Amino acid sequence: MLSVSQLTLNGEPALTGVERLPLIGWKIESTRRNVLQQSWQLQCSTRADFSALVFDSGVVNSEESNNIELSEFLLQPSTRYFLRVRITDNHGESSGWSPEAPFVTGVMNCAWKGEFISAETPQDKANSKGTLLRKAFSVAAEKKVASAFVHATALGIYQLFLNGERVGTDELTPGWTSYQHHLLYQTYDVTALLNSGDNVVGAELGAGWFKGDMGFSRHRNYYGEQTALLCQLVIQYEDGSEQCVVSDLSWRSSDSARQFAEIYDGERYDATLAQPGWQRSGFNDSDWRHVSQIHWDKKTLVAQGAGTVKQIERLPVAALIVTPQGDKVLDFGQNMSGWVEFRVRGKPGDKVVLRHFEALDASGNVYLDNLRSAKQLVEYTLKGEGEEVWHPRFSWQGFRYVKVERFPGELNPNHFTAIVIHSAMEATGQFACSNPDLNQLHHNILWGLKGNFVDVPTDCPQRDERLGWTGDAQIFCRTASYLMQTRTFFAKWLTDLKHDQTPEGGVPHVIPDILTGHCDHDKFLAEGGTHSATGWADAAVINPWTMYLMYGDKRILQNQYVSMKGWVDFMRAHADNDIWRYKLQFGDWVALDAQEGSYFGATPEDLLCTAYYALSTSLLAKTAKVLGNEEDHQYYSALQTIIVERFQERFFTAKGDLTAQTQTAHIVALCFDLTPVAFRQRTADRLVALLHEHDGHLVTGFLGTPYFCHALSQNGKAKEAWALLLKDDFPSWLYQVKAGATTVWEHWDGIKPDGSMWSPDMNSFNHYAYGAVGEWLYRTVAGIEADESAPGFKHAIISPLPGGRLNWVDASYESMYGEIAVKWQAIEGKVVLSFRIPANTTATVKLQAVKEMGQSEGLEFSHSELGWSATAGSGEYRIDYLPDDSVDLTYSD
């Protein structure tokens, strides 16, 4: 039976707020094998029953089922549309209509009728209090409302209310962007919240990223000095008339009970100052003050259809601890980003004071030093009327533990719940195996993503930093994209990268860029500059290409192409005879082969810079080809060839040895295809020798670590790659697991074997960069690999790597076409491989280290020096083979 199980819009199940037709895709289900789509028909309607069609494609003979751009038809603003599709396949079957996928348009090309209004004055620039805004209006009683949508954004963080009800479930809106160039607005359906007659729309605003205290330099007012709201409520009546309620000077304002709210330092809320009913009609706002208008370029406004921050999970207290120093500490058992919600009873003026932190020290006491100047403190003053329930709204904390500094009455752990927040993304990756330590490592990698993908890809969620470091985001991008659907998330962040690039094409160290112009007291950055570090700035090229590889979406390449080209041209302009280096470089950051007291690894900067120069130039050339820009393709392909030749001349001796005898130098030379073919085996052997010099341990930093296992397994060193992954003493991934980590640490020895801490200056316990090894688990251990000639897993490569004394691995990836699943087991001397390929896709199955093929499920395997391979259509398969003696497995009966 043939069916379409899901329709997607820009990879999302629904979009609320778009300004152009989304890219359309769908997932096909069939009980048959080798299913390929033959035709499709798409319809778009303004009614869910499709009785009001605005578009019908007719039957289109095509195998294409993702990233489809409809021929343009005129979208109306503030309107809900529904899409559906039906298909036929190569077996003569036809599907029924798919479930519909809705989307809502934003303001579109209509001029915003509202203005940015503020409850603050310029004298409030150092103020971190919350403010309230409200507007009473009437809905015509004699008319019936057909629909009502509100479009809103803020300079600062806002929450919107209509008739006392919260509008939407988004948090920390409108998020953090390069505000002067790119300000997102959100769209909500509020039809069900409207009353006939009297209504009130209201908002609470906080400082947020816009004017708050941000960065390790602790500056504020990066983008402006006053919070402000822009709101446009569009009410459409069934008679065709329309009413708009907009933010203007008729609104009234007041201070909220939120006396203080800052992202790093937390919140202070006094419930005795709350004004009940302020969001409802009948409230007397005569003593509220007038608002002022803030001038802001509305051309920066862009609709955000998906990917907002939301409350995702709720976790109970795992344990109540009384420390040796007598502190009462709640342990939630998991390092995370979010809030603590509590229930409390007490007298008016009683307080709850909670301090959030990540780790206990060697003695089991509260450890706050690694937070640096961030307070992570929330304080709630009770109103004293029955049970009160509260959690922060305009900040968030990175924590596992909470010190309860004040709490009225008996402390009951059941009255506390941790609420996990992060950008809403579909979970796409699943990984489990017979080694529980690897399962915990995978868990830690996933929770590193959850903790740091809070609107922007932050380095860490707890201390006075939480910045969008480009290097961390680049390193982890592919891993993140196996774990979750990151297409929307990274497209948004890369737009800000494009806007924050220097006129010459340099890429700031952090996006959004709040370092430039604010680093006078940081010797590092004041002297070295705030942009264009290799491996960091290369996010401009590597991340868009990764999105294309994982999702097949050319739009992101089109949107970022000028930025990608700008970065490569920047390197070219500053290269000396094609060897590239520029000002401050982080190099192989925090590598263990660094000199004592240094963060900079031993691998020479010019080697690393030139290696990444070659890589980014290669990816730019490929991008130009994908986009049909043949002139650029030829130019940058030729440039990449020249760079590789210069790299080999400069950094390889005549005997074939690298001039830098570090693990990272050998890793990038192998993984970036910079090694002369004649010296490839020698380079791989030398990498293994360097590994053995450290008793099989890595000493790599940010740039070498992500590629280490790849460099080994791709060059005939699978056993060494497995051994490296499974090391469990310092330094290793599993050392952290054995130490009880629930996320990935910033340093291999963030907590030392004796329980003492690495330097408090830079010691996050939720720092995902080294979690990039997760990519190897999916691409190599499970063997779920994309094919760049058919991106988005239209054609997949299934090539698992059994080993590590495991006896099974079970993994899956929910691609845009459907689930790709791989399971291998070691049974009675054989490897039994089961896999599933989604409909309308194909795969090449590649097997290595095979002594003898067994059952092949009708697949026709051929043999070459590279191993055994076969082409598979969609469906489920089960094959087995006898591995050779190089494969180290634990067999079950």
Side-chain angles (χ1 to χ4, degrees):
M1 182 176 176
L2 183 70
S3 64
V4 176
S5 60
Q6 184 186 31
L7 202 65
T8 60
L9 311 172
N10 292 343
E12 304 284 349
L15 296 172
T16 306
V18 298
E19 294 173 331
R20 64 184 291 192
L21 281 165
L23 294 173
I24 301 167
W26 51 86
K27 296 178 181 179
I28 300 170
E29 300 286 345
S30 176
T31 54
R32 297 177 183 268
R33 278 186 180 174
N34 302 311
V35 171
L36 293 174
Q37 178 183 282
Q38 293 290 93
S39 70
W40 54 263
Q41 181 181 4
L42 267 167
Q43 290 183 340
C44 184
S45 171
T46 54
R47 294 184 180 274
D49 62 2
F50 286 82
S51 61
L53 289 181
V54 294
F55 176 82
D56 189 328
S57 68
V59 175
V60 178
N61 294 317
S62 171
E63 190 180 304
E64 191 175 19
S65 61
N66 263 297
N67 294 310
I68 292 171
E69 291 195 72
L70 293 183
S71 51
E72 292 290 333
F73 59 89
L74 186 63
L75 293 175
Q76 297 300 315
S78 306
T79 303
R80 184 182 301 279
Y81 292 90
F82 301 88
L83 283 162
R84 67 180 182 180
V85 68
R86 60 184 177 188
I87 65 168
T88 65
D89 71 9
N90 56 329
H91 295 282
E93 285 199 71
S94 300
S95 76
W97 288 108
S98 69
E100 70 272 6
F103 68 94
V104 177
T105 52
V107 178
M108 304 289 289
N109 296 322
C110 302
W112 282 83
K113 299 174 183 176
E115 299 295 340
F116 282 93
I117 57 172
S118 178
E120 296 188 322
T121 69
Q123 285 69 47
D124 290 313
K125 68 179 183 179
N127 203 320
S128 302
K129 68 177 184 294
T131 57
L132 305 178
L133 298 154
R134 75 186 300 269
K135 167 71 176 179
F137 65 97
S138 293
V139 170
E142 69 278 9
K143 297 182 180 182
K144 186 172 182 180
V145 173
S147 65
F149 296 98
V150 64
H151 313 287
T153 188
L155 308 178
I157 294 173
Y158 80 96
Q159 291 196 335
L160 204 63
F161 301 87
L162 184 56
N163 296 322
E165 299 296 325
R166 172 87 187 278
V167 173
T169 58
D170 298 336
E171 306 292 350
L172 306 176
T173 48
W176 188 10
T177 54
S178 178
Y179 294 109
Q180 300 98 326
H181 309 100
H182 178 218
L183 175 58
L184 298 177
Y185 70 89
Q186 291 72 45
T187 296
Y188 302 101
D189 185 343
V190 293
T191 310
L193 299 181
L194 279 179
N195 297 327
S196 178
D198 294 341
N199 290 264
V200 170
V201 59
E204 183 175 7
L205 273 64
W209 297 278
F210 181 80
K211 61 164 279 191
D213 185 347
M214 292 292 300
F216 41 76
S217 63
R218 300 308 297 257
H219 286 82
R220 63 181 304 127
N221 302 305
Y222 286 93
Y223 303 99
E225 297 179 349
Q226 293 173 249
T227 58
L229 174 77
L230 176 66
C231 176
Q232 190 151 308
L233 170 59
V234 180
I235 304 167
Q236 295 165 340
Y237 294 100
E238 288 195 348
D239 65 3
S241 61
E242 184 176 281
Q243 177 184 355
C244 271
V245 179
V246 301
S247 50
D248 58 24
L249 293 177
S250 67
W251 288 49
R252 306 286 287 174
S253 69
S254 177
D255 292 341
S256 84
R258 208 172 309 271
Q259 296 179 300
F260 176 90
E262 285 283 0
I263 287 171
Y264 296 167
D265 293 332
E267 298 188 29
R268 188 170 67 250
Y269 188 94
D270 188 345
T272 66
L273 301 177
Q275 303 181 60
W278 70 270
Q279 322 101 313
R280 298 181 182 274
S281 59
F283 177 82
N284 184 0
D285 63 7
S286 60
D287 61 345
W288 282 33
R289 57 187 180 265
H290 295 292
V291 299
S292 60
Q293 182 176 328
I294 301 296
H295 296 284
W296 194 267
D297 184 1
K298 296 191 186 75
K299 292 178 182 177
T300 62
L301 293 168
V302 177
Q304 182 177 25
T308 50
V309 175
K310 292 185 181 292
Q311 299 181 32
I312 306 294
E313 300 176 57
R314 299 172 69 90
L315 302 179
V317 173
L320 172 60
I321 300 168
V322 178
T323 71
Q325 292 179 344
D327 292 321
K328 294 180 179 179
V329 171
L330 303 172
D331 176 8
F332 288 94
Q334 174 61 56
N335 205 347
M336 71 188 89
S337 286
W339 306 308
V340 172
E341 180 182 272
F342 54 82
R343 294 183 284 129
V344 63
R345 292 177 181 269
K347 303 185 300 296
D350 281 349
K351 292 183 185 295
V352 177
V353 180
L354 306 178
R355 191 177 297 273
H356 304 68
F357 63 102
E358 286 191 292
L360 299 169
D361 67 15
S363 300
N365 290 311
V366 174
Y367 181 73
L368 301 175
D369 290 354
N370 72 323
L371 301 180
R372 302 193 301 216
S373 66
K375 292 185 176 66
Q376 290 218 121
L377 186 74
V378 299
E379 179 181 312
Y380 177 80
T381 301
L382 276 69
K383 190 167 188 176
E385 298 178 357
E387 184 175 78
E388 300 176 48
V389 181
W390 188 85
H391 66 69
R393 289 286 189 181
F394 290 83
S395 68
W396 82 93
Q397 290 73 50
F399 67 101
R400 170 177 171 170
Y401 301 96
V402 173
K403 176 186 175 184
V404 183
E405 297 190 352
R406 293 181 67 176
F407 194 85
E410 181 182 357
L411 184 63
N412 184 344
N414 294 325
H415 292 170
F416 295 84
T417 302
I419 301 176
V420 179
I421 69 166
H422 59 75
S423 295
M425 298 170 286
E426 176 194 4
T428 52
Q430 301 289 332
F431 180 93
C433 69
S434 58
N435 185 323
D437 289 340
L438 284 185
N439 293 336
Q440 183 64 41
L441 174 62
H442 181 268
H443 169 100
N444 294 0
I445 294 167
L446 175 60
W447 276 88
L449 182 156
K450 292 178 180 181
N452 283 288
F453 279 38
V454 179
D455 201 66
V456 301
T458 58
D459 57 324
C460 57
Q462 72 297 100
R463 67 182 179 225
D464 55 2
E465 195 162 350
R466 311 189 198 187
L467 303 178
W469 284 94
T470 47
D472 304 57
Q474 178 269 120
I475 290 161
F476 193 66
C477 181
R478 187 79 181 272
T479 297
S481 301
Y482 274 106
L483 295 170
M484 289 190 173
Q485 197 274 88
T486 63
R487 182 176 179 174
T488 300
F489 178 84
F490 274 122
K492 175 248 185 191
W493 183 74
L494 285 167
T495 298
D496 294 310
L497 185 152
K498 172 179 65 177
H499 287 308
D500 281 352
Q501 268 181 279
T502 71
E504 197 183 2
V507 178
H509 302 326
V510 301
I511 299 296
D513 178 21
I514 61 169
L515 296 184
T516 300
H518 295 92
C519 291
D520 293 346
H521 301 297
D522 188 300
K523 187 173 185 297
F524 240 6
L525 299 172
E527 295 179 1
T530 56
H531 67 86
S532 304
T534 202
W536 275 250
D538 294 277
V541 175
I542 294 171
N543 287 44
W545 180 257
T546 301
M547 293 298 98
Y548 172 69
L549 193 63
M550 296 297 286
Y551 307 114
D553 179 2
K554 289 184 183 179
R555 269 191 189 177
I556 196 165
L557 296 182
Q558 293 164 347
N559 292 341
Q560 299 300 132
Y561 188 71
V562 172
S563 167
M564 297 169 77
K565 189 174 176 180
W567 169 238
V568 172
D569 287 348
F570 180 94
M571 289 188 283
R572 180 176 55 82
H574 290 276
D576 181 7
N577 194 20
D578 299 302
I579 299 296
W580 141 254
R581 193 192 173 286
Y582 180 82
K583 293 188 177 180
L584 173 65
Q585 295 295 320
F586 300 116
D588 197 23
W589 186 245
V590 295
L592 293 171
D593 58 7
Q595 293 182 1
E596 186 70 28
S598 173
Y599 294 134
F600 301 94
T603 306
E605 291 176 355
D606 55 353
L607 184 151
L608 283 171
C609 289
T610 307
Y612 267 92
Y613 181 24
L615 175 64
S616 284
T617 304
S618 172
L619 297 181
L620 177 61
K622 291 179 180 180
T623 299
K625 186 174 183 178
V626 168
L627 297 180
N629 189 332
E630 188 57 31
E631 183 178 348
D632 276 0
H633 170 63
Q634 294 293 338
Y635 176 81
Y636 290 104
S637 294
L639 177 59
Q640 193 260 351
T641 299
I642 292 169
I643 298 167
V644 172
E645 290 173 352
R646 283 290 294 126
F647 182 95
Q648 293 174 351
E649 291 171 6
R650 176 73 171 266
F651 302 113
F652 276 93
T653 69
K655 292 182 179 180
D657 295 322
L658 273 162
T659 55
Q661 286 297 297
T662 66
Q663 292 176 355
T664 292
H666 289 72
I667 290 165
V668 297
L670 290 166
C671 287
F672 296 179
D673 288 328
L674 303 173
T675 308
V677 174
F679 299 153
R680 193 167 188 88
Q681 188 61 51
R682 183 184 183 94
T683 305
D685 290 342
R686 182 57 186 150
L687 176 58
V688 171
L690 290 167
L691 190 59
H692 290 329
E693 286 179 11
H694 295 277
D695 192 28
H697 292 98
L698 47 71
V699 291
T700 49
F702 270 37
L703 298 189
T705 300
Y707 298 102
F708 208 147
C709 287
H710 294 286
L712 294 168
S713 63
Q714 291 172 3
N715 291 281
K717 309 294 182 183
K719 186 169 286 190
E720 289 82 359
W722 272 110
L724 176 63
L725 178 68
L726 294 172
K727 280 283 185 183
D728 61 7
D729 57 342
F730 170 76
S732 67
W733 289 282
L734 297 189
Y735 167 77
Q736 298 178 9
V737 169
K738 295 290 188 182
T742 62
T743 43
V744 176
W745 299 348
E746 183 172 15
H747 292 276
W748 296 112
D749 56 345
I751 300 176
K752 298 178 183 295
D754 64 1
S756 63
M757 302 290 182
W758 201 86
S759 166
D761 292 342
M762 196 174 64
N763 195 22
S764 161
F765 296 105
N766 192 354
H767 210 98
Y768 56 69
Y770 288 143
V773 72
E775 177 186 333
W776 194 72
L777 295 178
Y778 281 95
R779 288 180 62 192
T780 305
V781 173
I784 302 172
E785 174 67 293
D787 180 352
E788 67 180 51
S789 66
F793 295 89
K794 174 64 173 167
H795 181 82
I797 298 168
I798 305 298
S799 184
L801 186 70
R805 297 196 60 76
L806 273 62
N807 57 39
W808 61 271
V809 163
D810 192 353
S812 65
Y813 170 67
E814 186 68 32
S815 78
M816 55 201 298
Y817 292 93
E819 185 184 61
I820 303 169
V822 174
K823 181 176 183 178
W824 56 258
Q825 299 168 275
I827 302 175
E828 296 181 343
K830 290 184 177 182
V831 172
V832 178
L833 173 63
S834 305
F835 59 93
R836 181 167 59 253
I837 307 300
N840 206 34
T841 72
T842 57
T844 298
V845 185
K846 296 182 178 180
L847 305 175
Q848 302 176 50
V850 175
K851 183 182 292 185
E852 180 182 330
M853 286 296 301
Q855 173 187 334
S856 61
E857 278 273 334
L859 299 175
E860 296 184 10
F861 279 89
S862 59
H863 183 257
S864 71
E865 60 181 17
L866 299 177
W868 294 81
S869 65
T871 299
S874 65
E876 297 187 10
Y877 300 85
R878 179 184 171 95
I879 64 176
D880 61 60
Y881 63 89
L882 185 67
D884 67 24
D885 296 337
S886 69
V887 180
D888 189 12
L889 295 169
T890 298
Y891 292 95
S892 58
D893 295 334

